[in-house]
Amino acid sequence: MLDQLIEYDKTFFIFLNNLGTANWDVFWMVITNKFTSIPLYLVLAFLFFKTYGLKKTLVLLVFIALLITVTDQLANFFKYGVQRLRPCHDDSVNTVMRLVKKSCGGKFGYFSAHAANSFAVALFFSCMLKEKVKYIGVFLFTWACFVAYSRIYIGVHFPLDVLTGIVIGLFFSWLFVKLYIFVIQKIKL
C-alpha cells in the first residue's frame, strides 16, 4: 500500500513539475526564495504592532521565531530520519522532470520546511489579524499555496513532502496560537 502511494506521488509530481515552462521559471524561483518572504513578514509584524502595540508584538516575534525554528528543525529531523530522496536525486524520476534550480539541495526531502513554515506563518497571522485586517487569511493562504507549489515546480519536493509540511505547519501554528493567547492572558498584556 505504501509503495503504491509513493508511486502515485511520483506520477503526480512528474505531472505537476512538467506543467512548468521556461517563461515561468523566474517567477517560481522568486516565490520559492526564502528571502522573498521577508518584506511580507515585516508588513505582518508592522500590522500587528499597529493593532496590538509594542509589548504584544515583541512576544509575538518570539513566538514566530520559535514556531519557525520548531517546524524547520522538525523537517530536518524527518529528512534524515525518513531519508526519502528528493526528486532530483531519485533515479526513477530525475530523467523525466524539470530541475529549475542550479542545484538540487540536500539529498533528502521529506518533508518540505518551506511548506511547513509558510503555512505556519499564514495560519498564525490569520488568527491574530483576522478581525482587524479584512481578507488577511485569503491573502496569506494564497501566498502559502504558491510557496508550497513552488517546491514541486522547481523540482525539489514530491507532493507528499509538501502536503506533510502543510499539515505539520498548520498543526504547530495552531498550537503556538493557543500558547500565545495563553501567555498574553497570563502576563496580562
Side-chain angles (χ1 to χ4, degrees), residues 16-169:
L16 291 174
N17 175 259
N18 281 297
L19 290 175
T21 66
N23 294 338
W24 285 95
D25 289 353
V26 171
F27 171 78
W28 289 106
M29 285 299 293
V30 168
I31 294 294
T32 207
N33 187 319
K34 62 186 173 187
F35 297 111
T36 301
S37 298
I38 290 174
L40 174 61
Y41 292 160
L42 293 173
V43 167
L44 290 170
F46 177 74
L47 288 171
F48 193 87
F49 167 73
K50 292 296 282 180
T51 304
Y52 295 106
L54 181 61
K55 290 179 184 176
K56 287 183 180 179
T57 301
L58 292 174
V59 175
L60 172 112
L61 293 176
V62 170
F63 270 76
I64 290 292
L66 288 171
L67 174 60
I68 291 173
T69 300
V70 167
T71 56
D72 212 52
Q73 292 310 306
L74 190 60
N76 286 333
F77 175 79
F78 269 80
K79 283 175 185 169
Y80 294 102
V82 174
Q83 295 188 351
R84 183 179 190 198
L85 295 173
R86 288 183 184 270
C88 38
H89 291 301
D90 186 330
D91 291 337
S92 68
V93 296
N94 65 9
T95 58
V96 293
M97 61 165 277
R98 300 176 71 245
L99 179 62
V100 179
K101 284 178 69 173
K102 288 187 169 117
S103 67
C104 185
K107 188 174 182 180
F108 305 118
Y110 185 82
F111 60 89
S112 169
H114 275 74
N117 291 335
S118 61
F119 272 85
V121 170
L123 180 60
F124 197 95
F125 277 102
S126 293
C127 290
M128 294 293 118
L129 295 171
K130 68 184 174 192
E131 294 177 16
K132 303 293 182 184
V133 182
K134 198 172 187 177
Y135 304 115
I136 189 77
V138 172
F139 174 76
L140 291 177
F141 281 106
T142 301
W143 161 78
C145 286
F146 272 70
V147 171
Y149 175 71
S150 74
R151 308 308 288 166
I152 298 166
Y153 182 97
I154 67 170
V156 297
H157 282 294
F158 288 105
L160 281 178
D161 304 345
V162 170
L163 183 60
T164 303
I166 291 169
V167 169
I168 287 173

